[in-house]
Amino acid sequence: MTDTITPPAPVEAAPAYTEPPAGPAAPETLDRAALEALQLERLQWTVHHAYENVPLYREKFDAAGVHPDDIRTLADVEKLPFTTKEDLRRSYPFGMFAVPMTDVRRIHASSGTTGRPTVVGYTEGDLDRWADLIARSLRAAGVQPGWKVHNAYGYGLFTGGLGAHWGIERLGCVAIPVSGGQTARQVQLIRDFEPDAILCTPSYLLTIADAFEEQGLDPRETSLKVAVCGAEPWTNEMRRELEQRMGLKAVDIYGLSEVMGPGVGQESVETQDGPHIWEDHFLPEIVGDDLQRVADGERGELVFTTLTKQAFPVIRYRTRDLTRLMRGSAYPAMRRIEKITGRNDDMIILRGVNLFPTQIEEIALEIEHLTPHFILELTKRGRMDELTVKIECTPGIEKETSEAAAKILQARVKERIGTTVDVVIVSTGSLPRSEGKYKRVYDLRDQA
Ligand code: DLL
């Protein structure tokens, strides 16, 4: 009897893409000239790779009259068209992958606040480079091989949990993959496992600190020495609050799914002066409102071109994050960004004045008796937009004291931002607590 087994399909022709140009063993220590030479080589590879393998890039380049061979210097990147979140959404789910699906090893997605999620993919090589960059980031954050690392970024389609996880292991640390949520359990595990470092959003670290106190425990007495916080804007005032309450060093990790995930940039624990961008893998630019590039030091929107991504290269991706590029400090050849305190899309325009939630955070945390627990509600009174800050005070204070604190907040907002907001003190524990990225702004203007 003969089996009728279908023979395996013929092996596909070799893929039309290659590995990105290799880098040196210790890229953080390159000098600027060597770094730029590596960037150019990798940029040229990326631009060819994207043009040859992603129809949308080919169409956009052709429409702009630019060919990959036109990229002869780093400055030539300005000839290339921008990529936007809209482009990515239009290509949902896999239209911008630059390698066959059989070579993709993992998919992540960013939820986004509206519409379809953005789906991103990684080859084995991409995952390997990502783990290296997280390991590098953790090293910069002061995390040492052998440490136990409590990872409270969400595991799943979000890049935070799994992205950080591999880097923790790569550095030679013990990964404790807790994910986000179940805060009482987080407290228990921190007490029992005695981790040296914690990874989570700054707002979630605050929730954890509160949970310790609610159980009558002193959060300064944990084993934690370092917190690697990111995934949402936070201020230096919030950093001080977290450091004092938890007795640790809090450092900023930056990244976004479209460009890779966490680990695009990392602040050094030595300098705590904004994330260094790992420029051997990502080429940053800052553009103004007219989308023209501005000089280093000037503020604008951060734009990235990836230099080594295989499955999902991005060309001049507009992040919507607002910051400026500055000279490196702990890693002199790599530029830093100023701590990101806002995105284009969470800017509130209140009666013609621009306002970011982090500005309220900064002011509130300077005022005695006010806490970082606040939300912003936008409403309409007649035809006018109104903004109400609902904020919690430190527990157990007198009504007059809390009302005085509210008045100070209102006056300082008027003085520094130039607009009048209502401030309402709400009872302790009445506002939602963060379990990951915290939602601060509630737009109720469409509601009657
Ligand atoms: O939040 C990746 C990440 C995970 C970064 C864990 C750091 C730690 P997305 O969900 O795609 O990816 O959101 C990216 O979050 O464009 C910024 O607006 C914001 N963001 C990320 N890190 C920071 C930070 C992850 N350190 C978007 N400071 C970005 C301010 C940040 N905003």
Side-chain angles (χ1 to χ4, degrees), residues 110-111 153 158-160 229-234 252-258 261-263 275 319 321 339-341 343 437:
S110 81
S111 57
Y153 285 118
F158 175 52
T159 52
C229 295
E232 65 185 2
W234 56 306
D252 198 358
I253 184 164
Y254 172 77
L256 62 165
S257 338
E258 295 84 349
T319 64
D321 292 327
K339 208 163 176 359
I340 291 180
T341 47
R343 295 172 55 79
K437 291 183 192 252

Side-chain angles (χ1 to χ4, degrees), residues 10-17 100 102-103:
V11 176
E12 275 181 34
Y17 68 94
T102 46
D103 288 352

Side-chain angles (χ1 to χ4, degrees), residues 113 203 232 345-350 355-357 360 372-380 385-392 426 430-447:
T113 42
S203 61
E232 65 185 2
D345 23 12
D346 47 51
M347 185 174 80
I348 296 169
I349 305 177
L350 187 65
L355 182 154
F356 290 98
I360 305 287
H373 296 298
F374 70 89
I375 59 163
L376 304 177
E377 277 183 4
L378 266 170
T379 50
K380 249 192 184 347
D385 287 340
E386 299 285 340
L387 186 72
T388 306
V389 182
K390 291 191 169 167
I391 187 162
E392 295 181 15
V426 296
S430 63
L431 294 177
R433 291 297 188 256
S434 167
E435 294 209 329
K437 291 183 192 252
Y438 192 55
K439 177 172 162 61
R440 283 226 191 266
V441 182
Y442 293 80
D443 190 345
L444 310 175
R445 283 174 298 185
D446 288 340
Q447 299 179 12

